[in-house]
Amino acid sequence: KQWYQRRVREIKSRDPPPTIQRSPASLDIEDILNKKEQISVNDTTSGVFGLGVPDLQEHFKAVTSKCDQLLNQLETSSADETLDIVDELVRSIVTVSDVALFLARSSSDMREEGKSLLTQTEHYMSQLNSSPVIFAALKRLVEDQEVWAGLDGEARRAVLGLLVDCKNNGADAVSRDQQEKVQELIRKEGREGVAFIRESVTPVTIPIQDCPDTLISLPTREGKIVLSDWCDDSHSDAIRETAWKTYYKYDKKKEAILHNLLKKRHQLAQATGYKNYGERALQNSMAGSPAAVREFIEETHEQIRPVAREEMYEMEKYKYQGGKFWYNRGYTAVGEVVLFPWDTNYIAEDYRKLYIYDESRHVMPNLPDFLSVGSVVEQIGVWMEDTFGVTLVAERPLKGELWHPDVVKLAVEHEKEGLIGLLYLDFYTSDKKRSPPCNHVIQARTNKQLPISVIECSYTPGNGYRPPHLNLNTLEKLFRELGGAIHSFLSRNKYFQTSSSFLSPDVKLISGYLLQNLARNPAVLYNIMKHHTRTKVMPRVNPQSVLAITNAQQIFRSHEVEHQLMMSAVDLDLHTQFPYNDGRTSTDVFSWNCEKFTHLPYIEDTAPHLRAHQLYTQGGQVYAHVWCRAIANILYKELFVVDPFSRHAGEYFRETFLQHAAGKRPRELVEYLTGSKLTADRLANALVSPCEASQHVASGFKVFADGTGAKQWWHRDVSGKPDTPLFSRLSSSHPHLVAPDGNLKVPPPFDREGMLRLREKQKEKLLDKSREDSRKIAGS
């Protein structure tokens, strides 16, 4: 305390530190996001997003009237005008639909208005997508060889993409009844999907009188315990286990909704000329077919399995070392596995914290002070300026432009092209906000309009002592969402149909995962981690700590890849093998794939896949996450691993990939960018190599040098059967855990009254000791 006071007096006696030179725009961004400065609103009246439409219903009527006129023109237009008319028609109505979709899911007061407008736009768009007039006009373009030969590659992709959309909506149906059947199936599939999402995000509510003993310590709300997740950050193994089993408990209602959704999708696929819904979903994707996706999943599983086995070995050692973690209740008999789904996330995070603390020489700064939201966004803008020549500038919003007072408007400006888009940051928590983070593309980039994107997160607002801040996981997620926005800003497309909005998920996520890799680069992280007070007492984090953080963020990642592979396989099976002839359910499919693709057991009477809303939002394309992660690893290694601020690499990446969006075949772009074919073996190797490197980091960490941990580890083959455990070290290091028959002892059930009596005894002992000490002092 004396040293601290002396240090404070020394600092106050110094001259004030010189002002750090920054551009006004960058300073404004940090101050605004850290709640140190407020931007006044411009008096000019405008509608939401500055589109100049204060009344959305009136705007919808004007757009539909315009689309009807374009539809009438299409019947008498020439071949040269057809594509421009259809593209303008689609662009007009889709922009209104995207605004309505965002408002319907936002936390604004315009939510109900957005829901009403979304219903109207969806109905009108279904009529356009199934319009025989549009389908016939596009078909004439393809059949006229002279006109088709005069179209460039981007125009041809736009026409073919529009034809596929019309076909998937029944525009090529042989009869009106068949077309109405397709439209009815699309509406029913949408209703089942909305119901599935609603059930998947609904929290579990437990009355306090029915709550299990292990969850009684959780916060209550109106006499009930509400589980919105499975408490993966809890220090108590019993709480994590009970919460996981409760949150993911099998539910017949959810199972029935998913079954109906799969049934409608299968009927829809067959009604539009496909064998199954998987073929329909993968038609315009980079993978191309379910067979290619299956090959990629199987090849990656074969290569990642040995690495994941070693990773589980390290996690099991860490779990049992020195009694730091108590063994799982009732699951530790001989021959049974010792790691469970509720263990891996907590052990991985705890291991990373210990690794950072040890490798940074036991001098670890307070990370929230160096990861304030404003400082992070400001430094991301610096990286964008160095790499792409793009600057983020804070702007005054127009009256009525923002849907919440905490939203920040940024202009995205290029050093040569000027304004290239608008970015809105909705970062802070709200009662009605859904599960973030996510990136909404409100308006895609074409020759006729600038892109507009919204990044929605849910960060806790700061207080008077500390601004709002991030942790390492939320930092990576913010980078990933910004990657999708950057793809939209830097694309250059003539037609709306070839813009970034129409990219398949296995292409759209590449730039996001690439930026997530950059967030784990020491040079990038060192520039981002800046103290929010802007003083020179501790302006930056110790480089040794930064290096420890970047290494720790790559440890224990193979089990995440295994989980993504498992969910991809479940999604592929559900959308390609439905209906099942042997009477299996989706839970049976999940349990089989869980045992095959992961080293964790399937827990009876649970169904985690019924909480995965991606089965609807990305049906048939859940593999896109692990696919794009592999391609991002390849691009990062080729372009940015040596110099993440390279302008040459940034411009090359934009010219060869980002600016084309859907205007060219994405697979050809990636193969040209990397210089070789994208095979399943190459993609699998790109995923496995970083996991192998991180495994060397974890195994070299001196946590287990004392040898106190027990060396009984179970590793399973593909069938899921455990190997024979070895108890050579267990009886000597932990004899109290071993029963006479060689099995691990099962602890007695939780005794609440006994625990309370024990606490009372401890209190009495402390009071007796205090009284005795007082008597000794009085006697002396």
Side-chain angles (χ1 to χ4, degrees), residues 69-83:
Q69 295 177 5
L70 292 173
L71 201 60
N72 294 330
Q73 294 178 16
L74 195 61
E75 297 179 353
T76 59
S77 64
S78 61
D80 297 334
E81 300 173 343
T82 298
L83 181 57

Side-chain angles (χ1 to χ4, degrees), residues 669-698:
L669 294 176
V670 174
E671 289 176 349
Y672 176 79
L673 188 61
T674 59
S676 59
K677 294 288 184 180
L678 281 182
T679 61
D681 179 73
R682 188 185 182 203
L683 291 173
N685 185 63
L687 281 170
V688 175
S689 296
C691 295
E692 289 179 340
S694 65
Q695 182 61 38
H696 292 305
V697 173

Side-chain angles (χ1 to χ4, degrees), residues 175-186:
S175 64
R176 182 65 180 174
D177 293 340
Q178 181 69 14
Q179 188 178 32
E180 291 179 355
K181 177 184 176 182
V182 173
Q183 291 298 313
E184 183 64 22
L185 286 172
I186 291 175

Side-chain angles (χ1 to χ4, degrees), residues 423 453 502 675 682:
L423 178 63
S453 290
F502 290 88
R682 188 185 182 203

